[in-house]
Amino acid sequence: MITRITFFLIGFGFSVIGFAFIISYLNLIPLGYNFLEYVNFISRKAECLVGPIGLIITFLSIFIPGRSKI
């Protein structure tokens, strides 16, 4: 149980960090980037890829069944 909580918190933290960077990079759009250039830019940044990875870890920690103690 403590392992699931730990993975949930790690995934949640990664999601917050990653999506905060994605939102902060939205300031590139007023500088002349179009949407496809913006998506291409954030898909190459490691700190932006941490967001979706964090979501995957969070969902896995919630939906993967644990061991039952019988």
Side-chain angles (χ1 to χ4, degrees), residues 14 31 46 54 58 60 65:
F14 280 177
L31 295 176
T58 303
L60 288 178

Side-chain angles (χ1 to χ4, degrees), residues 1 7 14 17-18 21 23-25 28 30 32 38-39 41-42 50 52 55 62 66:
M1 184 68 177
F7 278 115
F14 280 177
I17 291 169
F21 275 106
I23 290 170
S24 67
Y25 283 135
L28 294 174
Y38 167 73
V39 171
F41 178 77
I42 64 169
V50 172
L55 279 179
I62 293 172

Side-chain angles (χ1 to χ4, degrees), residues 19-46:
F19 288 114
F21 275 106
I22 289 172
I23 290 170
S24 67
Y25 283 135
L26 279 172
N27 289 325
L28 294 174
I29 292 177
L31 295 176
Y33 282 70
N34 61 19
F35 184 72
L36 291 177
E37 291 172 338
Y38 167 73
V39 171
N40 188 20
F41 178 77
I42 64 169
S43 66
R44 295 177 184 212
K45 295 297 219 176

Side-chain angles (χ1 to χ4, degrees), residues 2 8 10 20-21 26 37 41 45 49-50 53-54 56-61 65 67 69:
I2 194 74
F8 176 79
I10 289 171
F21 275 106
L26 279 172
E37 291 172 338
F41 178 77
K45 295 297 219 176
L49 295 177
V50 172
I53 291 171
I56 291 169
I57 292 171
T58 303
F59 285 136
L60 288 178
S61 70
R67 290 181 279 161
K69 296 182 180 182

